[in-house]
Amino acid sequence: MAKPPFLPFLLFVASALLSTSCSAAPRKMVAFYELKKGDFSVKVTNWGAIITSVLLPDSKGNPGDVVLGYDGLGPYINNSANFGAVVGRVANRISGARFVLNGKAYRLSKNSGNNTLHGGHRGFSHVIWTVKEKVDGEFPYITLYYHSFDGEQGFPGALDVFVTYKISAPYELSIAMRAKSLNKATPVNLAQHSYWNLRGDGSGTILSNTVQIFASKITPVDANLIPIGTIVPVSGTPYDFLKPMTVGSRIDKLSGGYDINYVLDQPIGGNGMRKVAVVKDGDGSGRAFELWANQPGVQFYTGNFLNNVKGKGGHIYGKHAGLCLETQGFPDSVNHPNFPSQIVNPGEEYKHNMLFKFSF
């Protein structure tokens, strides 16, 4: 039997948050849940399928929470930074909030200037997911489900989406995302949007973190962070993390910081996985993680738009308080035929797997 939520309360959110029709929809329950194995703990909520906390020891055995977030549900309702959320139906940006599929033009919700970002105003990070299964034991996990209706935020076709968070081994967090198109071809590109700070939540910037990204190319962007459609080498640029480098070593050569999609080099290996990146804390905690995934790209983002955000425990998150490594399909692929396709046809299943291997 699953344990109750780790917080002693349940929060009820009105049906107005659940659908465009408020008349007869039942209320759904939002709660917080914990997966725990020894001194390793992952906490999630079914609002936005958000990871709210990842607790693990440092090299001296002191526990620390290594993801940014909020206290309680309230701030997550807005969550403009998408702390810890699953973003979709299409993560990242879609140029002009439109695309053409099978000869038909689709117009989407605009929420980033004239563009669509992370699925629109009410993307998957701002809806209530259903808890399908919560299992404790040696390898605890939780599976969350969301049904996206035909036309939601302008996207075609009904879509069933599942996300499973699992402690799959000591100090390992696996994430499996699945989506099935029910009646129309549709783009799908889900991403997990946690902000990591291995020194600990609220401990300062991630500029001293060492990062290695196994990618020799990027998809450059315009002033609005929309890919221009080319794929270029990182060699000789501040984007080169083929060898471990601190985040802050060349960040001053960029406008604002890192916010770019990397084209992964590593060949697909066992179970379709490849090594994406390695992150190490440079300030003495000894914490590190390897990220593995089965997607062709990863968005490296250094919290450039964080500005005095009140986070957990009263911490104030400023610029570069956390970093994101969002494995994904290439941004704006629906408007660039030379990018790997994100289209899922009826009866097909989208599969996105991630594995975080923590050490200290």
Side-chain angles (χ1 to χ4, degrees):
M1 178 181 293
K3 292 181 180 179
F6 76 93
L7 290 182
F9 58 85
L10 299 177
L11 296 164
F12 294 88
V13 178
S15 60
L17 293 172
L18 307 178
S19 70
T20 55
S21 172
C22 307
S23 58
R27 292 172 181 250
K28 287 190 178 181
M29 186 171 63
V30 176
F32 292 79
Y33 303 86
E34 182 176 27
L35 309 175
K36 186 173 176 62
K37 186 174 179 64
D39 54 3
F40 181 45
S41 164
V42 179
K43 297 173 183 177
V44 305
T45 175
N46 59 315
W47 175 265
I50 291 169
I51 293 175
T52 63
S53 173
V54 175
L55 195 71
L56 73 152
D58 64 11
S59 58
K60 298 179 181 179
N62 300 312
D65 188 352
V66 296
V67 295
L68 276 56
Y70 301 110
D71 291 323
L73 175 66
Y76 283 110
I77 299 298
N78 293 320
N79 197 15
S80 59
N82 289 300
F83 287 138
V86 170
V87 293
R89 175 177 306 194
V90 174
N92 222 298
R93 291 168 174 83
I94 295 179
S95 176
R98 70 180 300 277
F99 64 93
V100 176
L101 177 59
N102 295 332
K104 182 177 179 179
Y106 293 92
R107 299 191 179 279
L108 310 174
S109 168
K110 295 180 180 180
N111 65 327
S112 179
N114 288 321
N115 307 308
T116 298
L117 175 63
H118 294 328
H121 287 287
R122 188 177 170 273
F124 293 175
S125 58
H126 289 81
V127 298
I128 298 176
W129 295 60
T130 299
V131 178
K132 299 295 285 186
E133 194 173 19
K134 167 72 164 61
V135 175
D136 296 314
E138 184 178 6
F139 301 111
Y141 67 88
I142 186 170
T143 297
L144 306 171
Y145 163 77
Y146 180 67
H147 175 76
S148 179
F149 58 86
D150 186 1
E152 185 170 18
Q153 300 295 291
F155 289 99
L159 193 74
D160 280 342
V161 188
F162 295 85
V163 175
T164 297
Y165 295 115
K166 182 177 183 178
I167 296 181
S168 52
Y171 306 107
E172 291 189 7
L173 171 63
S174 69
I175 304 171
M177 299 179 176
R178 300 289 184 267
K180 190 169 184 178
S181 174
L182 302 182
N183 52 9
K184 295 180 184 178
T186 186
V188 180
N189 184 27
L190 307 179
Q192 216 296 323
H193 206 285
S194 286
Y195 290 69
W196 302 93
N197 187 323
L198 291 176
R199 189 163 33 141
D201 162 71
S203 62
T205 74
I206 43 76
L207 296 179
S208 62
N209 281 194
T210 298
V211 173
Q212 184 176 18
I213 302 174
F214 298 96
S216 58
K217 296 177 183 178
I218 56 171
T219 52
V221 295
D222 62 18
N224 294 313
L225 299 176
I226 301 291
I228 60 176
T230 59
I231 297 173
V232 302
V234 298
S235 178
T237 78
Y239 296 103
D240 188 348
F241 283 91
L242 285 168
K243 294 182 179 179
M245 302 287 291
T246 62
V247 175
S249 60
R250 295 161 298 172
I251 200 169
D252 60 345
K253 300 182 183 298
L254 304 173
S255 176
Y258 293 94
D259 195 359
I260 198 77
N261 173 65
Y262 283 78
V263 179
L264 294 170
D265 292 336
Q266 293 278 60
I268 294 290
N271 298 318
M273 303 288 276
R274 67 179 109 200
K275 196 172 185 179
V276 175
V278 177
V279 180
K280 296 181 179 180
D281 175 34
D283 289 311
S285 75
R287 295 190 187 100
F289 70 73
E290 292 182 2
L291 171 59
W292 294 69
N294 67 345
Q295 296 299 292
V298 62
Q299 187 83 9
F300 179 41
Y301 172 57
T302 50
N304 311 328
F305 297 110
L306 296 178
N307 182 21
N308 295 322
V309 177
K310 186 177 180 180
K312 288 182 281 192
H315 295 144
I316 302 299
Y317 305 143
K319 189 175 183 179
H320 309 318
L323 64 83
C324 302
L325 286 162
E326 308 156 56
T327 55
Q328 61 179 5
F330 297 176
D332 202 29
S333 287
V334 288
N335 291 310
H336 297 288
N338 58 313
F339 287 178
S341 174
Q342 297 173 358
I343 303 304
V344 178
N345 292 302
E348 294 179 347
E349 187 177 37
Y350 165 92
K351 297 180 180 181
H352 184 169
N353 297 323
M354 286 159 277
L355 179 63
F356 290 88
K357 298 181 178 182
F358 297 96
S359 58
F360 47 91

